[in-house]
Amino acid sequence: MDISGCSFSELSYSTLFNTYLTNFEKLSSFYEFDPMNEQELERRSSSLNSSSVDKKQFISALSQYHKELGIEEQQKAPLEKYARDNAITVVTGQQLGVYGGPVFTIYKTMTAILLARKYEEKFERPVVPVFWLADEDHDFDEIAWTGITGRNDFSKIKLEQEGSGIPVSDERVTEEIQSFKEKVKEELFDTDFSESLWGMLDAHYKEGNTHAQAFAGLINEWFAGEGVLIVGSNFPALKKLMKETLQTTIYKADSIYKAIEEKSVELEQDFHRQVTNGDSNLFYLSDKNGRIKIHKDENGWTANGKIWTTDELLNEIKTSPEKFSPNVFLRPIIQDKLLLTLGYAAGPGELAYYGQMRSLYGEFDLQMPPIFPRFTATIIESGISRIIEKLPFQIYEYEKRIEDLESEFVEKTDTVDIEEVFLNWKDKLESAAKEPLKMINEIDPTLDGTVGKTVAGFSNELDKLKGRVYRSIKQQEETQINRIEKIKVNLFPDGGLQERSVSPIYFMNKYGLNIWNELIHKIEEEGLDLTKHHLIEL
């Protein structure tokens, strides 16, 4: 396993993301801490002494949540570690993608693990890596697929199950998982690891389990041994601890809107706003209609026909906090209310919306934590490595459109003008024939026609040879163009980075169920570098 890298600027990462890593000072008004500045991280660590909620109550509620998810045994060790008086966390999180979602889910988790180990040693206090389940989201289509680099091409395989509008974590795995599984198996080759892999997946993605149980079960099985603590918020005992934060979003709605909007407008002057600001940051969980956005108007608050005054809404949050759900801006606030967060490992999109949130944290008497860029990578399998060497492109160039790559290849390799070569050959042949023709005519003028036919025959044979040369070049070009297509499908499937599309199970099926643990060990040996996109050769 060899690890090298290339610059983020060579790939399709946003201007904001590149600026964050190369010129943080330009973004310092949007983020509280420079995550690459060790002194600032030490300052953050020193400020983390007590959480906003009672830690014992949180530990108790989280233990109940783990029991609900069916992972309580493996989660005892990281939970007990976080229960220590001076324990803090490095957090990451992701949607509950079927079979683990795209491989960047793995990279986020690895980042949290490795940062936690680094700063536990540096700050001499327990640092627990946390995976936060995005268990409030209700867009089922966003999680109901997996990506496989299959036998012929990349396949984005959809789970043909309709979401019901409730949080995805509460959706049940249905019988459709079987046909989904068969479609995935059709794309994967049978290997020495296949049977164990399917045994693992079937143990979690089985009819009747919720998608929270299935996804959390996988993350737990893959990473509990690395010390990862699994946390979420869509659970009654945890929601009780959140009710004051949920109420704050109501009685401070105007100032919260202003806090987000002012930073968003400022960010848009040079970059972009990632998430649209709204009049409320809460959803209502309706038994009949699922997860519904709450809106504010001149008369109070509404959610698909349900109406509250401000006092009525505050009272319902107090008595039934489990009926309310945070949006994308409120989720990090809740996270940092419940946890002592040294920092959060974010993808480029998350990092962008955190840039809209710095002033929002103050509305909840919090300080935005350092936002670490997550580890990013492209895995290059040995078969791909071999053919990359035969082509005139850098790896990052394969992100271009296939048509552009093919055109550039023809331009780069068309160094010999075949027409000119054969035209010169014919000219030389005709010139060389002049003197012998004169001599033969002097000997026997009747042979003039025969000599002409002979010379013409040479010319015809050259034309045939030229055709064969052209066919050979075309065959070679076709071989290389097929290689270009294969490389692009493997490194930039579905028109984007591999990490955003391909499922972790594709690599586990080929290289073993412990591939991610081995990669963690390898990176730990070499040192975690978050300043470039990594190229991992297997």
Side-chain angles (χ1 to χ4, degrees):
M1 187 182 289
D2 296 320
I3 302 178
S4 59
C6 63
S7 168
F8 287 118
S9 62
E10 294 170 330
L11 296 164
S12 60
Y13 290 94
S14 69
T15 303
L16 188 150
F17 185 73
N18 276 286
T19 304
Y20 189 80
L21 290 169
T22 60
N23 187 14
F24 180 82
E25 187 61 32
K26 187 173 181 179
L27 289 166
S28 60
S29 65
F30 303 103
Y31 301 94
E32 191 77 39
F33 297 92
D34 179 352
M36 304 305 173
N37 187 315
E38 295 290 308
Q39 290 181 327
E40 292 197 20
L41 293 171
E42 190 165 0
R43 174 165 63 90
R44 172 65 176 180
S45 174
S46 299
S47 71
L48 296 175
N49 298 309
S50 60
S51 57
S52 300
V53 301
D54 183 273
K55 197 171 187 181
K56 288 184 178 179
Q57 289 183 16
F58 173 65
I59 295 294
S60 175
L62 193 54
S63 179
Q64 296 173 52
Y65 184 51
H66 290 160
K67 187 173 182 179
E68 174 76 14
L69 295 173
I71 58 174
E72 66 272 25
E73 287 302 315
Q74 300 94 326
Q75 284 290 297
K76 278 183 180 177
L79 192 58
E80 287 173 358
K81 183 175 180 178
Y82 184 61
R84 298 179 198 173
D85 288 341
N86 62 338
I88 57 178
T89 67
V90 173
V91 187
T92 195
Q94 187 54 36
Q95 291 174 304
L96 315 184
V98 178
Y99 289 171
V103 74
F104 69 64
T105 301
I106 301 294
Y107 299 153
K108 288 178 120 180
T109 313
M110 288 169 41
T111 308
I113 291 167
L114 292 167
L115 287 172
R117 291 177 183 175
K118 175 181 177 179
Y119 291 112
E120 179 168 285
E121 182 177 354
K122 185 174 182 63
F123 299 143
E124 297 181 337
R125 63 189 299 186
V127 184
V128 181
V130 168
F131 190 100
W132 185 283
L133 301 174
D135 55 6
E136 303 276 1
D137 293 350
H138 65 275
D139 192 336
F140 192 76
D141 285 344
E142 283 192 3
I143 65 99
W145 62 276
T146 198
I148 303 293
T149 305
R151 298 170 187 268
N152 299 309
D153 203 344
F154 173 78
S155 296
K156 188 173 182 178
I157 302 166
K158 190 175 185 307
L159 172 61
E160 299 297 338
Q161 177 183 337
E162 293 296 325
S164 57
I166 63 174
V168 166
S169 57
D170 292 332
E171 298 278 7
R172 297 282 173 180
V173 178
T174 65
E175 62 183 5
E176 279 81 6
I177 195 68
Q178 291 304 318
S179 59
F180 175 77
K181 170 186 171 181
E182 292 307 316
K183 289 176 185 175
V184 175
K185 289 183 77 172
E186 286 174 9
E187 294 297 326
L188 294 174
F189 290 95
D190 285 332
T191 70
D192 292 342
F193 309 111
S194 298
E195 185 176 350
S196 296
L197 175 63
W198 287 110
M200 175 190 292
L201 295 172
D202 290 346
H204 301 293
Y205 282 89
K206 58 186 178 182
E207 280 189 64
N209 268 6
T210 64
H211 277 270
Q213 290 169 328
F215 182 88
L218 270 189
I219 297 297
N220 179 68
E221 187 159 354
W222 291 346
F223 295 114
E226 304 285 354
V228 170
L229 177 66
I230 293 174
V231 181
S233 58
N234 187 29
F235 185 68
L238 291 165
K239 287 279 176 76
K240 286 181 181 179
L241 303 177
M242 295 157 41
K243 59 187 177 183
E244 290 184 4
T245 302
L246 299 178
Q247 287 177 314
T248 300
T249 67
I250 301 304
Y251 68 75
K252 295 184 73 173
D254 291 339
S255 59
I256 285 172
Y257 177 87
K258 183 179 178 182
I260 296 171
E261 191 63 20
E262 286 180 351
K263 277 298 170 190
S264 300
V265 169
E266 184 184 345
L267 193 66
E268 283 180 312
Q269 292 177 11
D270 294 304
F271 303 100
H272 69 283
R273 85 164 65 196
Q274 184 74 12
V275 179
T276 302
N277 193 14
D279 52 21
S280 159
N281 294 295
L282 275 185
F283 288 82
Y284 182 70
L285 298 177
S286 163
D287 293 336
K288 181 180 179 181
N289 298 306
R291 187 171 182 254
I292 309 163
K293 187 80 169 69
I294 296 176
H295 290 285
K296 183 177 184 290
D297 60 28
E298 64 276 7
N299 298 316
W301 304 84
T302 64
N304 195 31
K306 188 171 178 62
I307 301 172
W308 302 269
T309 64
T310 296
D311 286 343
E312 287 171 342
L313 183 53
L314 288 171
N315 185 62
E316 187 161 359
I317 292 171
K318 180 180 179 180
T319 57
S320 304
E322 71 281 357
K323 292 183 178 180
F324 297 88
S325 178
N327 76 343
V328 67
F329 286 126
L330 189 55
R331 190 275 305 158
I333 300 296
I334 287 171
Q335 163 197 298
D336 296 332
K337 283 284 187 179
L338 295 177
L339 294 164
L340 287 165
T341 308
L342 175 64
Y344 183 84
E350 289 174 298
L351 193 147
Y353 73 68
Y354 266 101
Q356 299 172 244
M357 292 178 58
R358 180 169 178 172
S359 299
L360 174 64
Y361 271 83
E363 298 294 323
F364 293 88
D365 300 320
L366 290 171
Q367 188 179 48
M368 179 189 284
I371 310 301
F372 297 102
R374 67 165 170 82
F375 180 86
T376 74
T378 296
I379 294 176
I380 307 172
E381 299 181 70
S382 58
I384 299 300
S385 294
R386 286 193 296 270
I387 60 176
I388 281 176
E389 297 171 358
K390 303 178 186 297
L391 288 158
F393 297 112
Q394 298 296 317
I395 285 174
Y396 61 83
E397 293 184 273
Y398 288 96
E399 192 171 14
K400 298 176 182 176
R401 294 188 320 144
I402 190 67
E403 296 85 357
D404 295 334
L405 285 167
E406 290 173 355
S407 297
E408 288 182 32
F409 171 74
V410 171
E411 289 175 8
K412 288 181 178 182
T413 56
D414 190 15
T415 56
V416 179
D417 189 335
I418 302 302
E419 287 294 337
E420 184 178 0
V421 167
F422 277 86
L423 183 60
N424 290 339
W425 196 349
K426 284 185 177 183
D427 288 343
K428 290 176 182 178
L429 178 64
E430 290 176 2
S431 296
K434 287 179 181 178
E435 188 173 336
L437 179 60
K438 181 180 178 183
M439 180 192 70
I440 292 170
N441 276 335
E442 289 174 354
I443 295 171
D444 186 351
T446 63
L447 294 176
D448 181 71
T450 303
V451 173
K453 289 179 180 179
T454 302
V455 173
F458 287 157
S459 180
N460 290 336
E461 289 302 315
L462 286 179
D463 285 339
K464 292 179 183 178
L465 178 59
K466 181 175 70 173
R468 293 176 64 183
V469 171
Y470 269 121
R471 285 194 295 274
S472 178
I473 289 174
K474 185 174 177 59
Q475 287 172 355
Q476 291 177 30
E477 285 183 353
E478 286 177 354
T479 297
Q480 296 294 65
I481 285 172
N482 287 338
R483 286 172 172 165
I484 290 170
E485 291 175 353
K486 185 174 182 180
I487 293 167
K488 181 167 177 61
V489 163
N490 276 265
L491 304 189
F492 296 94
D494 206 28
L497 288 164
Q498 179 194 83
E499 61 181 22
R500 297 174 185 168
S501 300
V502 178
S503 170
I505 70 168
Y506 166 77
F507 298 105
M508 296 171 75
N509 183 62
K510 293 186 74 172
Y511 301 101
L513 274 57
N514 293 324
I515 180 175
W516 311 122
N517 311 93
E518 293 168 4
L519 182 55
I520 289 170
H521 180 70
K522 177 70 173 177
I523 296 169
E524 192 169 20
E525 279 185 342
E526 297 190 1
L528 178 64
D529 184 353
L530 302 177
T531 66
K532 63 184 179 182
H533 182 84
H534 295 271
L535 306 173
I536 303 170
E537 295 194 43
L538 298 180

